[in-house]
Amino acid sequence: MLYALEIIKKYNRDYVADTRNGFEDDPADTVWVKDYFIPKAVEYGCRTIYFIIDKNNSLADELKGQEEDSKDKLDSSIFMI
């Protein structure tokens, strides 16, 4: 995700995360995303983060929680496939 921040900073782009093949539900990672990644992404020009997940993915609740936590900073969309 640090590489994603480099790309966001360089090109002022939004971010797409395809979580269908491996996305760990680690509480420390969730805190890092909320406290570091999202603020830096916004600072670098990101306005929307898109999450691609499977319909029956157990991470849907975590991602929706992140979406709720960051709604004052950026738009976040979850696409279930």
Side-chain angles (χ1 to χ4, degrees):
M1 293 188 70
L2 292 174
Y3 179 69
L5 285 175
E6 290 177 29
I7 298 300
I8 293 166
K9 184 176 184 178
K10 184 174 180 179
Y11 298 105
N12 294 314
R13 299 291 180 212
D14 293 337
Y15 178 66
V16 178
D18 186 347
T19 65
R20 292 175 293 174
N21 293 319
F23 187 87
E24 296 177 20
D25 187 5
D26 183 333
D29 289 345
T30 301
V31 170
W32 182 85
V33 167
K34 182 181 79 147
D35 292 346
Y36 185 80
F37 180 82
I38 290 175
K40 284 295 183 189
V42 170
E43 177 185 332
Y44 297 158
C46 180
R47 296 294 171 251
T48 305
I49 295 178
Y50 302 92
F51 293 102
I52 302 170
I53 63 173
D54 291 320
K55 287 182 181 181
N56 297 321
N57 190 316
S58 63
L59 296 172
D61 290 338
E62 178 188 349
L63 293 174
K64 287 179 183 181
Q66 288 182 6
E67 182 177 39
E68 184 66 25
D69 289 344
S70 64
K71 70 181 178 182
D72 62 327
K73 297 176 188 75
L74 50 78
D75 296 327
S76 181
S77 300
I78 299 174
F79 296 95
M80 297 190 188
I81 296 178

